[in-house]
Amino acid sequence: MSQEKEQFRDSIGTINAEGKRAWVYPKKPSGRFYRYRKYVSYLLLAFLFAAPFVKINGNQFLMFNVLERRFNIFGLPFWPQDFYLFVILMIIGVVFVSLFTVAFGRIFCGWMCPQTIFMEMVFRRIEYWIDGDRGAQIKLDRQEWNGEKIRKRVLKWLVFFIISFLIANIFLAYLIGSDRLFQYIMEGPMRHVSIMVSLLIFTAVFYFIFAWFREQVCIIACPYGRMQSVLLDNKSIVVAYDHKRGEAENGRKKWRKNEDRKALGFGDCIDCFQCVNVCPTGIDIRNGTQLECVNCTACIDECDTIMEKVNLPKGLIRYASEDEIVKKEKFKFTPRLKGYTAVLTILTGILIGMLFLRNDLEANILRLPGQLYEHKDDNIISNVYTYKLVNKTTKDVANVNFKLLSHKGTIKLVSHKDFIVPAKELAEGTLFVEINNSALTADKNNIKIGVYSGEELIETTTTAFMGPRSYK
């Protein structure tokens, strides 16, 4: 193995020989894939900014209120009692991403990841607009601080801060809900100092990520780049350099007009370094698949442009697997992919089934801790319980009452009879269950209680009923 390859294997493109940060100045990309990525990115950005403000049946389309443990996913409300559904949904997401990675590499990062979309389609484009392309940015960074540099830096930093503040507000809308966010805005920041401080912290985090940390998120912070080394194989479709065609027998060579490269044994790669200059993570794709590569396709577009200029076939860098390049094998649905697909199908079926079985009102009735049963007149045994009813809908549930379904007996509510469970709220209280001792078969009995709205049964639950030990 050559010394050059040893050095590459032991280093990353954004660290120089002294171990310091090597700032990346990517050339402004253009081409077919970049145009498609822009369409996808703008669509996803529109979804991201609109989702907290769209409501379905009164529920916010997407909300992740961690503090109050309330979540809305695609308009369906999820409470702490639905945590198992949320876990299954997250597992499905992990399996889906794993399946996609095994099949198509890190395509999620290049086309759908919020970090890449904001960095490349928002902040980087603003930077091109203010500072200019790669050469102009390098020149601006190296020049002394003068009127031009101060003006451009202040303008860029100000625009970056405003966009970061806007993103922080959207992020807050996902956390606390858009209605509450509008309420806080109308009431002013002085009445909600803690929220304003949180908003500024989020703004500072986003500003730091997109103004300075940038590609280091993908290289250092994100674990997905490490996962791909485990998930990828020679059959995975990735952004790949066709080394067979590019290197040929005698390797790369600079372009010379009217030269017969094939006769001289040189490959189609003219060593122009444009694929390196356009890369947002500063790597050389010709060294093979690397953890820094986010499959953004910028090198594909740039290489196709160069190939077109020198009258060579496009596709020297393209979506391909290692087996396709080396063995000319087309993509196949491998047993590994079939296994991931089967697991994903099973989990999705389980989730759909659980969603259909999920009730709009969740009931939990538990015996009051530390309390024994009470023996009353006429051989009646009484147990005291606490109940919690969660209304997961956007409508009030009125005239709520309880009835004993499994045994003959009575249920008495403390302080009131029928009551209302407000929309998207929790109702709790205390009740007594009284059953004749003759109807009990053991010292611990399972009883079934029905929750009614008027005369309509809306939920059933079971709990334990304690009584005297029988010696029959």
Side-chain angles (χ1 to χ4, degrees):
M1 186 176 287
S2 69
Q3 185 180 2
E4 181 184 351
K5 288 189 177 179
E6 284 284 357
Q7 275 187 338
F8 177 80
R9 190 187 65 181
D10 293 339
S11 63
I12 58 176
T14 55
I15 302 295
N16 60 25
E18 290 75 32
K20 296 181 180 179
R21 168 88 175 271
W23 197 265
V24 178
Y25 302 92
K27 180 182 176 182
K28 186 177 180 179
S30 61
R32 174 171 56 109
F33 282 109
Y34 185 65
R35 186 169 64 254
Y36 295 155
R37 282 179 58 219
K38 283 196 294 186
Y39 298 152
V40 173
S41 297
Y42 296 150
L43 181 65
L44 291 175
L45 283 172
F47 175 82
L48 178 71
F49 279 79
F53 307 102
V54 174
K55 292 188 177 181
I56 297 178
N57 295 325
N59 294 316
Q60 188 169 307
F61 189 70
L62 286 176
M63 184 177 73
F64 306 94
N65 192 334
V66 179
L67 298 178
E68 297 178 5
R69 296 177 298 171
R70 290 172 57 181
F71 305 89
N72 289 346
I73 301 177
F74 305 134
L76 294 174
F78 290 85
W79 292 72
Q81 292 82 356
D82 298 318
F83 186 69
Y84 63 96
L85 293 173
F86 194 73
V87 170
I88 293 176
L89 189 63
M90 292 300 101
I91 295 174
I92 288 174
V94 171
V95 174
F96 178 77
V97 171
S98 299
L99 171 63
F100 226 65
T101 304
V102 171
F104 303 110
R106 211 170 168 181
I107 192 172
F108 171 83
C109 296
W111 290 77
M112 290 172 282
C113 177
Q115 163 67 20
T116 305
I117 290 174
F118 275 116
M119 187 68 251
E120 302 304 321
M121 297 299 172
V122 179
F123 289 89
R124 193 87 76 184
R125 287 176 66 82
I126 291 170
E127 197 164 56
Y128 291 136
W129 169 58
I130 296 174
D131 291 350
D133 208 342
R134 171 183 164 81
Q137 290 180 23
I138 295 174
K139 181 181 176 182
L140 186 66
D141 268 2
R142 291 176 179 174
Q143 76 181 42
E144 297 293 330
W145 283 92
N146 54 21
E148 179 195 12
K149 187 170 183 176
I150 292 173
R151 176 178 58 81
K152 289 185 175 180
R153 284 288 181 267
V154 171
L155 177 60
K156 184 173 75 171
W157 293 340
L158 179 61
V159 174
F160 278 13
F161 180 83
I162 291 172
I163 295 176
S164 298
F165 184 73
L166 177 62
I167 297 172
N169 275 272
I170 297 299
F171 184 71
L172 193 62
Y174 278 101
L175 288 179
I176 66 173
S178 55
D179 291 341
R180 192 179 297 181
L181 175 64
F182 283 134
Q183 177 188 341
Y184 291 164
I185 292 173
M186 296 301 294
E187 293 176 354
M190 299 310 296
R191 292 188 59 182
H192 303 282
V193 177
S194 61
I195 294 295
M196 191 62 191
V197 170
S198 301
L199 198 58
L200 291 175
I201 290 173
F202 283 133
T203 302
V205 169
F206 289 126
Y207 182 85
F208 169 76
I209 289 174
F210 296 116
W212 190 83
F213 205 48
R214 300 190 162 205
E215 73 283 341
Q216 301 300 308
V217 173
C218 306
I219 298 173
I220 298 173
C222 180
Y224 184 48
R226 273 73 178 168
M227 279 180 60
Q228 73 167 341
S229 61
V230 179
L231 296 172
L232 293 183
D233 57 27
N234 290 340
K235 296 176 175 56
S236 301
I237 303 294
V238 295
V239 172
Y241 165 67
D242 190 341
H243 55 89
K244 289 287 187 180
R245 175 188 153 193
E247 307 295 320
E249 295 178 5
N250 295 326
R252 314 162 191 161
K253 187 179 186 297
K254 294 290 184 181
W255 174 257
R256 288 185 181 178
K257 196 173 181 181
N258 299 324
E259 183 180 58
D260 191 346
R261 298 175 65 88
K262 187 173 290 186
L264 295 172
F266 292 108
D268 284 355
C269 178
I270 65 172
D271 213 18
C272 63
F273 275 91
Q274 293 308 302
C275 59
V276 180
N277 292 339
V278 81
C279 179
T281 57
I283 66 168
D284 188 341
I285 192 63
R286 297 173 297 178
N287 288 306
T289 301
Q290 299 147 58
L291 68 86
E292 300 100 313
C293 179
V294 294
N295 283 204
C296 69
T297 70
C299 55
I300 297 179
D301 283 332
E302 196 65 24
C303 186
D304 283 349
T305 301
I306 297 298
M307 291 294 104
E308 192 173 19
K309 289 179 179 178
V310 297
N311 294 318
L312 290 173
K314 296 180 181 180
L316 182 59
I317 302 175
R318 63 183 186 273
Y319 276 121
S321 67
E322 182 66 20
D323 281 355
E324 180 184 341
I325 291 172
V326 176
K327 303 176 184 178
K328 306 301 180 184
E329 290 183 359
K330 294 298 182 182
F331 176 76
K332 295 179 181 178
F333 200 62
T334 63
R336 190 181 180 197
L337 289 173
K338 292 176 182 177
Y340 278 114
T341 304
V343 172
L344 184 64
T345 303
I346 292 169
L347 288 173
T348 304
I350 291 173
L351 178 65
I352 292 172
M354 287 182 169
L355 287 173
F356 275 110
L357 294 173
R358 176 175 174 262
N359 292 323
D360 291 335
L361 187 136
E362 184 89 16
N364 283 300
I365 300 177
L366 299 172
R367 291 187 71 254
L368 196 64
Q371 295 293 319
L372 297 175
Y373 63 88
E374 182 181 358
H375 208 141
K376 292 189 172 183
D377 294 339
D378 298 326
N379 205 26
I380 297 296
I381 305 299
S382 176
N383 280 217
V384 60
Y385 297 84
T386 58
Y387 65 83
K388 290 184 179 180
L389 304 179
V390 180
N391 184 358
K392 302 174 184 177
T393 69
T394 56
K395 297 179 181 179
D396 294 344
V397 180
N399 301 321
V400 177
N401 59 88
F402 301 92
K403 293 180 182 179
L404 199 56
L405 302 179
S406 59
H407 292 72
K408 199 170 183 180
T410 58
I411 295 178
K412 296 180 180 179
L413 291 171
V414 176
S415 74
H416 50 255
K417 193 176 180 182
D418 294 357
F419 58 96
I420 295 175
V421 183
K424 296 189 288 186
E425 294 293 340
L426 170 73
E428 52 187 338
T430 306
L431 58 81
F432 290 92
V433 178
E434 297 180 350
I435 302 176
N436 195 290
N437 190 26
S438 61
L440 303 177
T441 57
D443 56 338
K444 185 177 181 180
N445 302 264
N446 288 325
I447 61 174
K448 186 175 181 181
I449 297 176
V451 183
Y452 288 78
S453 175
E455 296 299 322
E456 179 188 358
L457 177 65
I458 55 176
E459 173 67 315
T460 60
T461 185
T462 58
T463 187
F465 187 90
M466 306 300 293
R469 181 168 295 177
S470 174
Y471 296 97
K472 296 178 182 178

